[in-house]
Amino acid sequence: MRMLIILLLFFSQAVQTINAQEAAPMPELLEGAWQVDLRPTPDAQPYWQTLVIKKPGDNTFSGSFYGSKFKKGLLNTQWADLHLAFETRDRNNTYYHVARFDGKVLRGQTYCPQRKFIAPWTAAKAQTKIHPDEP
């Protein structure tokens, strides 16, 4: 009987751990300013730009990145990590951004077909609050 109770407790803990790992972080954790490191190579000095995420909901968000506003950011909360994608533009090019949020760090990639360029990046939540009128 004692062994059965131990096995049940172990199984219960294992199920709780698996369920906790399967739940994506809450989208609200994304809201705010993020410091993105866009260094061109792993040994280069950090190159910081700010990503601002506003109004993250069930599957959308808005904000700005690299001086470009975006409105149609998409979220996927069906995985253990929260996945997001958005598009920005400058005068000549369109940039596609995707990232994965583990609850602490954003790890992403930016792709620009016109420039034949792909860049991995990481981001940490900025310590300063954003002003409501910032892009």
Side-chain angles (χ1 to χ4, degrees), residues 30-75:
L30 290 171
E31 187 153 23
W34 292 81
Q35 289 302 310
V36 181
D37 183 356
L38 294 170
R39 69 182 75 198
T41 62
D43 57 342
Q45 292 294 315
Y47 174 57
W48 302 106
Q49 289 293 320
T50 301
L51 165 65
V52 176
I53 296 178
K54 294 182 176 183
K55 302 177 185 172
D58 291 334
N59 66 349
T60 63
F61 64 99
S62 61
S64 64
F65 184 49
Y66 215 97
S68 178
K69 290 183 182 182
F70 59 86
K71 295 180 182 176
K72 296 181 180 178
L74 295 175
L75 298 172

Side-chain angles (χ1 to χ4, degrees), residues 1-20:
M1 183 61 143
R2 182 180 226 179
M3 184 57 111
L4 180 60
I5 292 172
I6 291 171
L7 285 173
L8 286 173
L9 287 173
F10 176 78
F11 180 75
S12 173
Q13 183 62 38
V15 168
Q16 289 175 3
T17 300
I18 289 169
N19 287 340

